[in-house]
Amino acid sequence: MKKLSYIFLSALFLSGTFTLPAQNKSLVNTSQSPYAKLSGVGMSDVHWTNGFWADRFEVCKQSMSPGLMKTYMDESISHSFKNFEIAARIDTGSHVGPPFHDGDFYKAFESLVSLYATTGDKNLMVLMDEIIPVITKSQREDGYIHTPVMIEERKNGQKAKAFDDRLNFETYNMGHLMTMACLHYRVTGKRTLLDVAVKATDYLYNFYKTASPELARNAICPSHYMGVVEMYRTTRDPKYLELSKSLIDIRGLMEDGTDDNQDRVPFRQQTKAMGHAVRANYLYAGVADVYAETGDTSLIRPLNLIWDNLVNTKMYITGACGALYDGVSPNGTSYDPLEVQKTHQSYGRDYQLPNMTAHNETCANIGNLLWNWRMLQLTGEAKYADIVELTLYNSILSGVSLNGLDFCYTNPLAVSDKFPYTMRWSGGRIPYIALSNCCPPNTVRTISEVQNYVYNLSEDGLYVNLYGGSQLKTNLKNGDNIQVTQATDYPWDGQISLTIDKAPEKSFTLSMRIPGWCKGATISVNGKKQEVNLESGSYAQITRTWKNGDKVELNLPMEAKLIETNPLVEETRNQIAVKKGPVVYCLESNDLPKQDIFQVVIPSDTKFTPITMNIDNSKFMALEGQAYIENSNWDNTLYREVSPVNKLSSVKLIPYYAWGNRGKSDMTVWMNLKR
């Protein structure tokens, strides 16, 4: 009887007669999640006005998103959209590109949805409405949708076996379809894409009910964990929640599981970040989503342990993840070389954080953001918002050029023309990464959605997570309307002004994040200093009956600081990095053209002076200071006696995200220290 009811529900969805529940229009909908403390505001509720993120959003709107869509719809460059046309029998030909190309296109489409939510640009709606019928026609009647398999089916006239190859990325693609479809429905009210996602999710549900355990585990890069839960939140169909729980349960049940796919050990027994960093972070984000709906404490315990392990031993100062191009599992139980498990683009051992050979795929860094955003929703703890901010300003933004046209796949912390090896994925940006273009659309959709991370709602009131010139118009949890204007030159300056343009009649709590990097914060309301908790890495909370025009002024002291690392990190022992507020800085050879930047020595008492700089029409705050320069002649030399440093010289540092925008260059985040 239960199975019949599921079939009946699905039939109603597809017939258009089923009325979906009232929708919260946030990016991640935890508004009804019983184990989430916070929920998001609507995707149309926040608009950038000026400053850092307003500039980046404008580049995204004018350059990143349209440039990427042009690439994906031009078959002479990318076959991504053409694959859908062939699968839909609109055109003929063969599949071209990697098996995850469908998911790449879905992410690029999601950027259109997010831009439309904020701008209301009718041209974006026209483009989406042209694309959706092609995706719809490419779907099989049973709900399966994956263009490589369907094109092969239609060429040979035989039904191909789904999920036969665990590296075929079917569920990864479907997961991004689900997420994209939920957002499209919330923003536009149209069910054209959601109906496709319902059929696909129903297909997955039925597949996992009947597939062998071995076949069911053929699911690389589990974006579908997040997607399935978001489908549950959108439709409230209980079988989707059932599916999300079973997806976790099947991990680690077979003897041939791998760390590369996080299924050597059952998830509930995992304690460390391991394996392929993108797959790992997507998994952790999806498990956090399941916990938000179920409160299963056996899930939150490993999430907390893995988070501690990542943040304290495996995460770069930029928030980047996945140090190793290739390696072997540090957790294997056998010394037999035939049984050593490969890991790729992966977390290594604790404190294994190389710089020149760092992989740090942009998608892994975005996965870190997605996971920490969900942990913030669960707990309301500022430490998760700190990492959301860290990744956005550094390891995610570094993945795209300042003009929005070129992209990085990897994000090393040092690049040298003298480095004697050619990396498989060299650092630096190019317009199209032919064999693995997953990062560009992921980056573009993320930049188009940053405004969704600024505010949260709680039962008590409003949380302010990020700072940037913006306007908010939304309703609190109790339904009261509130309008807020935020004015600031953050991240270059720590002065933030928040004006309550329209206050609700009832009192509420305003919670403003005090970043973990900040010491000595102060806060005032209408010029009167507030005696509240201003501890670093917490939320300053002010409860009162607010009035129209009330002004909150938060001051976050933001001097440049020298940062050192744990000495167990061999690569950076006796070195420092420079950080001002949330922004990590680097030294680029363009700003020290006659010297070897790797021979720069920073005195521990150096004081850096902020200066305004412009690269490619992007203004930012650079830092100037004094440093020593060592003898830089190391040609054909492995060891030598210590030589004295030369006289002090002026050096200029730029934000890490801005490196590589002036042609080929050497770059380093970590520099030698003179105490």
Side-chain angles (χ1 to χ4, degrees):
M1 187 68 183
K2 189 175 183 180
K3 186 174 182 180
L4 286 174
S5 68
Y6 285 151
I7 295 173
F8 179 63
L9 275 172
S10 297
L12 287 175
F13 274 118
L14 296 175
S15 68
T17 60
F18 190 90
T19 301
L20 291 171
Q23 292 296 305
N24 173 283
K25 297 184 178 181
S26 59
L27 186 67
V28 177
N29 180 13
T30 57
S31 61
Q32 297 183 60
S33 303
Y35 298 94
K37 181 176 181 179
L38 304 179
S39 60
V41 301
M43 291 181 67
S44 303
D45 291 355
V46 182
H47 293 78
W48 299 117
T49 53
N50 54 58
F52 185 91
W53 285 114
D55 292 343
R56 290 298 88 202
F57 183 85
E58 189 66 20
V59 172
C60 185
K61 181 177 69 174
Q62 300 295 339
S63 178
M64 292 183 203
S65 185
L68 193 62
M69 290 304 300
K70 183 178 179 181
T71 293
Y72 279 149
M73 299 186 78
D74 183 346
E75 65 178 296
S76 67
I77 304 174
S78 168
H79 224 246
S80 182
F81 186 64
K82 179 57 66 175
N83 289 334
F84 283 103
E85 291 184 318
I86 297 170
R89 294 193 172 95
I90 296 172
D91 204 343
T92 58
S94 300
H95 183 276
V96 178
F100 44 80
H101 230 15
D102 293 3
D104 294 346
F105 189 82
Y106 295 147
K107 286 180 284 187
F109 188 99
E110 186 178 320
S111 74
L112 302 180
V113 176
S114 300
L115 290 172
Y116 177 78
T118 304
T119 66
D121 186 344
K122 294 181 180 179
N123 292 323
L124 294 173
M125 180 67 81
V126 170
L127 179 58
M128 290 189 289
D129 285 347
E130 290 175 353
I131 291 170
I132 291 171
V134 179
I135 295 175
T136 301
K137 290 178 183 177
S138 71
Q139 187 173 35
R140 248 174 24 189
E141 281 301 315
D142 64 359
Y144 180 81
I145 179 169
H146 181 58
T147 61
V149 171
M150 294 184 300
I151 290 173
E152 191 62 28
E153 275 186 359
R154 291 169 183 180
K155 285 175 64 178
N156 298 329
Q158 295 179 344
K159 190 170 183 179
K161 191 174 181 180
F163 304 107
D164 196 32
D165 182 352
R166 71 183 313 174
L167 295 177
N168 214 14
F169 287 87
E170 287 117 313
T171 53
Y172 167 83
N173 292 337
M174 290 186 195
H176 284 298
L177 167 66
M178 295 169 198
T179 300
M180 169 190 73
C182 289
L183 298 186
H184 178 263
Y185 174 72
R186 289 172 194 166
V187 168
T188 68
K190 297 181 178 182
R191 283 180 41 183
T192 47
L193 260 183
L194 186 63
D195 288 343
V196 176
V198 165
K199 287 180 66 177
T201 315
D202 286 348
Y203 174 86
L204 276 187
Y205 176 83
N206 294 324
F207 171 81
Y208 279 102
K209 280 290 188 183
T210 59
S212 67
E214 293 88 352
L215 197 61
R217 287 171 55 247
N218 284 5
I220 284 292
C221 206
S223 68
H224 60 303
Y225 284 49
M226 291 179 280
V228 168
V229 175
E230 216 57 50
M231 287 294 293
Y232 167 70
R233 290 167 175 166
T234 301
T235 67
R236 308 309 292 182
D237 190 331
K239 71 173 180 287
Y240 298 160
L241 183 58
E242 177 190 340
L243 172 59
S244 72
K245 292 187 287 187
S246 68
L247 290 172
I248 299 171
D249 294 338
I250 64 174
R251 284 190 170 269
L253 297 181
M254 305 302 297
E255 292 183 0
D256 62 343
T258 67
D259 286 335
D260 199 43
N261 197 36
Q262 293 78 40
D263 61 1
R264 179 179 63 84
V265 178
F267 177 78
R268 290 172 175 84
Q269 298 175 24
Q270 295 182 21
T271 60
K272 290 189 173 187
M274 60 185 180
H276 194 295
V278 182
R279 299 169 191 169
N281 291 350
Y282 274 34
L283 169 64
Y284 306 150
V287 172
D289 272 334
V290 175
Y291 174 80
E293 305 305 325
T294 66
D296 182 349
T297 56
S298 69
L299 299 180
I300 198 64
R301 180 182 180 275
L303 284 178
N304 288 334
L305 292 173
I306 293 167
W307 190 90
D308 286 340
N309 174 250
L310 168 60
V311 172
N312 294 318
T313 72
K314 290 178 178 155
M315 188 175 74
Y316 283 87
I317 191 173
T318 58
C321 298
L324 305 183
Y325 274 65
D326 297 289
V328 296
S329 167
N331 305 304
T333 58
S334 172
Y335 288 100
D336 183 345
L338 298 178
E339 296 183 13
V340 171
Q341 292 185 355
K342 174 192 73 71
T343 58
H344 181 48
Q345 305 176 8
S346 69
Y347 289 113
R349 297 178 183 272
D350 294 356
Y351 304 108
Q352 190 176 11
L353 296 169
N355 294 314
M356 285 190 184
T357 63
H359 193 269
N360 292 344
E361 183 182 340
T362 309
C363 282
N365 309 333
I366 291 171
N368 199 19
L369 161 72
L370 297 174
W371 177 26
N372 277 276
W373 177 248
R374 284 159 173 79
M375 295 299 285
L376 176 63
Q377 306 312 291
L378 298 181
T379 66
E381 294 184 25
K383 66 181 182 180
Y384 301 115
D386 281 351
I387 295 181
V388 168
E389 178 181 71
L390 180 69
T391 56
L392 282 172
Y393 280 109
N394 299 290
S395 58
I396 293 174
L397 204 54
S398 63
V400 60
S401 62
L402 295 174
N403 63 14
L405 297 176
D406 300 319
F407 300 91
C408 282
Y409 181 61
T410 66
N411 296 274
L413 274 72
V415 175
S416 173
D417 192 47
K418 295 180 180 179
F419 191 67
Y421 302 108
T422 300
M423 307 301 292
R424 185 184 300 112
W425 302 104
S426 59
R429 302 179 187 84
I430 57 177
Y432 183 62
I433 309 167
L435 295 177
S436 191
N437 206 54
C438 55
C439 294
N442 219 2
T443 304
V444 171
R445 70 158 178 161
T446 301
I447 302 305
S448 73
E449 293 169 350
V450 175
Q451 62 275 10
N452 294 280
Y453 299 115
V454 178
Y455 297 99
N456 267 133
L457 302 175
S458 71
E459 293 297 333
D460 299 327
L462 183 70
Y463 274 62
V464 187
N465 306 312
L466 302 178
Y467 300 110
S470 58
Q471 289 184 330
L472 167 70
K473 296 181 180 180
T474 195
N475 293 318
L476 298 177
K477 288 266 193 176
N478 62 9
D480 289 347
N481 183 256
I482 184 173
Q483 297 182 20
V484 171
T485 296
Q486 189 180 153
T488 180
D489 196 27
Y490 197 91
W492 315 126
D493 185 272
Q495 295 280 354
I496 298 117
S497 175
L498 200 77
T499 302
I500 309 295
D501 298 315
K502 183 175 182 181
E505 293 183 2
K506 299 176 183 177
S507 68
F508 73 90
T509 300
L510 178 67
S511 302
M512 300 188 72
R513 184 174 65 93
I514 310 300
W517 52 258
C518 178
K519 296 179 181 178
T522 60
I523 192 167
S524 64
V525 177
N526 299 331
K528 184 178 180 180
K529 185 177 179 180
Q530 301 296 295
E531 300 298 330
V532 296
N533 177 32
L534 294 167
E535 182 181 353
S536 300
S538 68
Y539 281 89
Q541 298 187 314
I542 304 173
T543 303
R544 59 184 284 158
T545 301
W546 300 86
K547 303 297 183 185
N548 294 350
D550 280 350
K551 181 174 288 189
V552 181
E553 292 178 299
L554 175 64
N555 178 36
L556 304 173
M558 193 184 282
E559 69 276 10
K561 297 178 181 178
L562 305 188
I563 309 296
E564 62 181 352
T565 190
N566 189 305
L568 290 174
V569 181
E570 293 183 65
E571 293 84 349
T572 53
R573 190 179 296 151
N574 298 320
Q575 293 186 323
I576 58 93
V578 178
K579 195 164 177 260
K580 183 176 185 289
V583 178
V584 175
Y585 281 76
C586 68
L587 177 61
E588 194 171 20
S589 57
N590 305 70
D591 299 310
L592 203 64
K594 297 182 180 181
Q595 304 289 345
D596 182 349
I597 64 170
F598 297 99
Q599 302 304 312
V600 168
V601 182
I602 305 294
S604 60
D605 59 355
T606 291
K607 301 296 181 184
F608 286 97
T609 302
I611 60 169
T612 301
M613 191 170 169
N614 188 309
I615 297 177
D616 221 347
N617 296 317
S618 177
K619 291 183 180 180
F620 55 80
M621 197 73 74
L623 298 174
E624 280 191 342
Q626 296 292 303
Y628 294 99
I629 309 294
E630 291 181 332
N631 178 359
S632 60
N633 184 13
W634 278 96
D635 292 343
N636 296 315
T637 301
L638 183 59
Y639 304 106
R640 72 180 185 198
E641 292 183 17
V642 173
S643 56
V645 296
N646 295 336
K647 63 181 180 180
L648 281 169
S649 177
S650 177
V651 294
K652 182 192 297 179
L653 308 182
I654 65 170
Y656 170 73
Y657 74 78
W659 86 273
N661 282 274
R662 295 174 286 179
K664 189 175 181 180
S665 65
D666 287 359
M667 177 276 294
T668 184
V669 169
W670 292 96
M671 294 163 282
N672 302 313
L673 171 66
K674 177 177 171 51
R675 294 187 184 275

